[in-house]
Amino acid sequence: MSAASEGQGEEPSLPTAETAPGQATAARWPVRHSVRGVAGPIRALERSQDILTVFVGIALILLAAVLLVSGVIDFVQEVSGSTAMSSAAALLLDRVLLVLILVEIVHTVVLSLRAHRLIAQPFIVVGLVAVIRRILFVLSLSNQARVGTTELALLIAMVVVFVAGLIAVSRFEEREP
């Protein structure tokens, strides 16, 4: 950065090809490009996005709380009624796993707010929990309805793909500094 640009409060100039030989190429380019007259609207959009994301997170937390309370109430009503305990437990498990999915989405929203970038790992976990939820729900109702082999095979394949994606993303993130 030159002495003239320091005194004027401008952003530093782009690094040149004289960057150290061992440095990665990505480090040569700045993360944020500054265009005169655009910085203000971009900041306003980022703040608006953050505010909207906070409201979405709050709505998801409220929805998760309502689903959890509703699930427990339904469970108690079904157990005290004539419904079998295993059927009521399967429906409660379904609700709890749905709440877990919502909580994971809120976690992703929080990570997005903190890092201002999209992180893949929480989305993969949400997908994995959703598929496992579906498998448990389908298998718990298997004595009432026939479950297709194709559907079960597809769900198991999805679990394998999500786990492989989770492993790949974890290894990729370990290599980044």
Side-chain angles (χ1 to χ4, degrees):
M1 184 179 329
S2 67
S5 66
E6 283 180 19
Q8 296 172 356
E10 296 176 13
E11 290 196 19
S13 60
L14 289 174
T16 61
E18 298 162 4
T19 310
Q23 259 183 329
T25 354
R28 294 182 183 176
W29 301 104
V31 174
R32 196 171 68 171
H33 298 284
S34 176
V35 176
R36 195 167 287 188
V38 179
I42 288 175
R43 258 186 257 118
L45 286 173
E46 286 175 346
R47 286 186 186 134
S48 300
Q49 178 186 4
D50 289 348
I51 290 169
L52 188 60
T53 304
V54 167
F55 282 128
V56 167
I58 290 170
L60 287 172
I61 288 290
L62 292 175
L63 180 62
V66 167
L67 280 172
L68 188 60
V69 169
S70 169
V72 170
I73 290 172
D74 289 347
F75 175 76
V76 169
Q77 287 175 348
E78 288 188 28
V79 167
S80 63
S82 62
T83 308
M85 178 73 131
S86 62
S87 175
L91 291 175
L92 180 63
L93 177 64
D94 185 56
R95 289 272 178 92
V96 168
L97 288 173
L98 183 58
V99 168
L100 180 63
I101 289 170
L102 290 173
V103 169
E104 283 295 323
I105 292 172
V106 170
H107 176 71
T108 304
V109 166
V110 169
L111 288 177
S112 173
L113 278 171
R114 285 185 181 160
H116 281 283
R117 70 181 180 105
L118 197 57
I119 301 170
Q121 200 168 17
F123 284 112
I124 296 171
V125 170
V126 167
L128 185 60
V129 171
V131 172
I132 291 172
R133 172 181 171 251
R134 178 69 183 155
I135 290 172
L136 290 174
F137 190 71
V138 164
L139 290 179
S140 69
L141 298 177
S142 65
N143 52 0
Q144 296 173 358
R146 293 210 29 108
V147 179
T149 309
T150 308
E151 183 180 0
L152 276 177
L154 181 63
L155 290 171
I156 291 170
M158 289 173 68
V159 168
V160 170
V161 168
F162 279 127
V163 168
L166 194 58
I167 291 170
V169 166
S170 297
R171 286 187 180 169
F172 180 74
E173 287 178 353
E174 285 176 2
R175 290 185 201 156
E176 289 181 359

